[in-house]
Amino acid sequence: MSKLSRRKFIATAGVTALSTVAIHGCAGPSATESTSSATSPSPKSDTTATSSTTTTTSTAITPEVTTAKLGFIALTDASPLIIAKEKGFFEKYGMKDVQVVKQASWGTTRDNIVLGSEGGGIDGAHILTPMPYLISEGKVTNGKKVPMYILARLNINGQGISVANDFKEAKIGLKNDKLKEVFAKVKAGGKDVKCAVTFPGGTHDLWMRYWLAANGINPDVDVSTIVVPPPQMVANMKAGNMQAFCVGEPWNARLVAQQSGYTALVTGELWKDHPEKSLALRADWVDKNPKAAQALLMAVMEAQVWCDKPENKEEMCKIVGADKWLKVPPAEILGRLQGKVDYGDGRTAEIPDISMKFWRDNASYPFKSHDLWFVVEDMRWGYFPANTDAKKLVDAVNREDIWQAAAKALKLEADIPKSTSRGVETFFDGVKFDPEKPDEYLKGLKIKKA
């Protein structure tokens, strides 16, 4: 069994008390509740955004409240929230008192969402896409169900799986027929092979498990899966506390910069343009403040447009690299953001097409087909029961209707996809996920719990 444990690791976060909240209805704002600002962005979805993103005051929406508390983890893909705050986009859309609050770990994010801002926690967050589903169903909250809504995807691509320098001779990469043998030798020598992820059932856990299973390794039998907060990955690898980890940038790049390990793969190689983080809020907060929720989303969408402009990349890295945000040298953020990857084992590549994207290629749209894959994968590994009605769950949590309303208010109708599905997805090992046939996908997987 996986050892999803925080013991013996550096500065892991404690668990706070959980609170119970009521389930509210699913009513959301309609597209007709607002009109657009004259300064709204108007990018093309299939090219780099070139729209204007000025910060003049918008009168498009009069939100019910002007404040919200949003959590973030020190990761590059939190940039849309940080930029929305620093560039005044929240204020532009009437949300002048928004707080963007650093969280120590994904466990802390979960606990603070359960508390809610009225209980000293937060209203929503930059979050691993599966977490709102796990929290809504009480799977990671001691059975306490706290309904959540996903309003947008914050990014696609931009994560990595890194390994210790001890494995350089083995040339561990995306596909390695000897990976199982390499890890078996470590175990034969009396050591556990520890693969660190950031949250059980979260995106990094699923990328790690998919990669291991595709290379013939059962992540619940052949290795120990342990939990470490993203900013503490590099320190723990230096200390020899794990052999591999999966995390978002800039921590893979930082590991290479400190010569403490190397990148086996970037996750865009595992699944091109895969979904990653989301903007999610407590459902009761959104139901109570539908206009404020749309205003928050409009600010974040404008920030995503801004973040994706090539001419803004250096400034973005300087802003988010500051101590109060990521506390990372901007140069260690910029390279991979531009698609320039030094793997740390002699390999280098320029692969901008699978680098982190915030807006282009429909990066912001919360496709239900993607959320369905995450739920099905969590069924695969036992985080959800095998009989879970995945489609029903996705329909309850995914609020693409709010995204569509925000896009219309921003005069971005052309950027609304024609379908809630991106269609059949293909992974590096040739496996395909057809969102119309999720059961067939699950049945066809060789290594699984379900």
Side-chain angles (χ1 to χ4, degrees):
M1 297 294 292
S2 285
K3 299 172 184 174
L4 285 163
S5 168
R6 300 178 187 179
R7 67 187 184 277
K8 298 181 182 178
F9 284 82
I10 297 172
T12 52
V15 178
T16 64
L18 300 176
S19 62
T20 305
V21 297
I23 298 176
H24 290 253
C26 295
S30 70
T32 60
E33 287 184 319
S34 61
T35 56
S36 68
S37 163
T39 57
S40 297
S42 55
K44 299 294 183 182
S45 61
D46 59 348
T47 59
T48 299
T50 58
S51 63
S52 170
T53 53
T54 57
T55 56
T56 56
T57 301
S58 170
T59 57
I61 291 178
T62 302
E64 300 85 354
V65 293
T66 61
T67 186
K69 289 183 72 174
L70 304 176
F72 81 99
I73 295 284
L75 291 160
T76 306
D77 47 36
S79 295
L81 267 65
I82 296 169
I83 293 301
K85 179 66 176 177
E86 292 281 5
K87 288 290 182 179
F89 296 152
F90 287 129
E91 184 173 1
K92 173 179 176 178
Y93 294 103
M95 299 297 292
K96 63 184 180 66
D97 301 310
V98 171
Q99 298 178 58
V100 180
V101 187
K102 185 179 286 188
Q103 308 293 295
S105 68
W106 292 118
T108 305
T109 299
R110 169 204 59 202
D111 296 342
N112 282 329
I113 285 172
V114 172
L115 288 171
S117 61
E118 292 183 2
I122 57 180
D123 301 305
H126 150 254
I127 201 166
L128 301 165
T129 290
M131 285 183 66
Y133 291 95
L134 295 164
I135 294 171
S136 292
E137 291 296 290
K139 298 303 180 184
V140 292
T141 54
N142 295 331
K144 297 177 185 292
K145 295 184 178 182
V146 182
M148 295 193 70
Y149 294 151
I150 288 176
L151 273 60
R153 203 78 66 218
L154 289 178
N155 70 296
I156 55 178
N157 301 324
Q159 321 300 295
I161 294 178
S162 292
V163 294
N165 283 327
D166 295 345
F167 298 105
K168 278 190 176 178
E169 288 188 10
K171 296 182 179 180
I172 293 176
L174 182 64
K175 183 68 177 173
N176 191 318
D177 294 334
K178 295 183 179 180
L179 186 60
K180 187 173 182 177
E181 179 184 330
V182 169
F183 282 175
K185 285 182 180 179
V186 175
K187 290 188 73 173
K191 289 182 65 177
D192 277 346
V193 177
K194 295 177 182 178
C195 297
V197 298
T198 63
F199 190 83
T203 55
H204 303 118
D205 186 24
L206 299 182
W207 306 141
M208 177 66 81
R209 287 171 173 272
Y210 194 97
W211 175 65
L212 291 171
N215 282 288
I217 295 170
N218 188 325
D220 292 317
V221 176
D222 300 324
V223 300
S224 295
T225 307
I226 52 88
V227 174
V228 177
Q232 295 158 23
M233 288 291 192
V234 176
N236 277 289
M237 185 75 93
K238 273 185 179 181
N241 289 334
M242 80 272 275
Q243 282 70 43
F245 66 64
C246 183
V247 73
E249 296 301 344
W251 304 111
N252 299 282
R254 192 148 176 73
L255 182 79
V256 170
Q258 296 186 14
Q259 300 182 337
S260 298
Y262 70 96
T263 298
L265 65 130
V266 295
T267 49
E269 296 172 298
L270 188 151
W271 174 10
K272 184 180 183 296
D273 289 342
H274 67 79
E276 192 32 61
K277 304 299 187 302
S278 291
L279 171 65
L281 289 98
R282 286 174 54 120
D284 58 359
W285 193 93
V286 175
D287 292 339
K288 185 179 179 181
N289 306 294
K291 292 182 181 179
Q294 183 175 320
L296 282 176
L297 179 54
M298 290 168 70
V300 170
M301 289 166 72
E302 183 159 347
Q304 289 180 282
V305 170
W306 189 94
C307 288
D308 243 4
K309 287 186 176 183
E311 63 268 29
N312 291 337
K313 298 293 187 186
E314 289 191 20
E315 182 185 355
M316 190 198 97
C317 292
K318 289 178 182 178
I319 292 171
V320 304
D323 286 359
K324 67 176 179 177
W325 301 118
L326 271 60
K327 199 175 181 179
V328 172
E332 292 182 15
I333 306 172
L334 180 61
R336 294 198 179 194
L337 192 65
Q338 295 174 324
K340 300 172 182 177
V341 181
D342 177 356
Y343 290 83
D345 60 354
R347 293 177 294 152
T348 60
E350 290 200 22
I351 42 178
D353 197 39
I354 58 172
S355 64
M356 188 176 294
K357 302 173 187 177
F358 300 102
W359 184 263
R360 66 191 190 277
D361 297 329
N362 296 120
S364 177
Y365 193 81
F367 286 102
K368 285 189 176 181
S369 61
H370 290 161
D371 285 13
L372 182 64
W373 182 84
F374 283 122
V375 173
V376 170
E377 278 293 299
D378 273 342
M379 292 165 61
R380 174 186 186 181
W381 300 114
Y383 296 115
F384 282 124
N387 63 352
T388 298
D389 188 335
K391 184 180 183 302
K392 182 179 179 181
L393 181 55
V394 169
D395 286 342
V397 175
N398 183 298
R399 293 301 305 273
E400 63 174 356
D401 60 309
I402 300 177
W403 194 99
Q404 292 169 3
K408 290 173 182 177
L410 290 166
K411 297 293 187 183
L412 294 173
E413 290 93 340
D415 292 283
I416 300 174
K418 294 180 180 179
S419 172
T420 190
S421 172
R422 204 173 67 174
V424 177
E425 305 283 352
T426 304
F427 298 82
F428 81 98
D429 56 349
V431 172
K432 296 181 183 295
F433 174 72
D434 184 345
E436 298 298 320
K437 303 174 183 177
D439 292 341
E440 288 187 14
Y441 168 80
L442 193 55
K443 287 178 183 177
L445 298 167
K446 295 179 181 178
I447 299 177
K448 58 191 173 186
K449 277 187 177 179

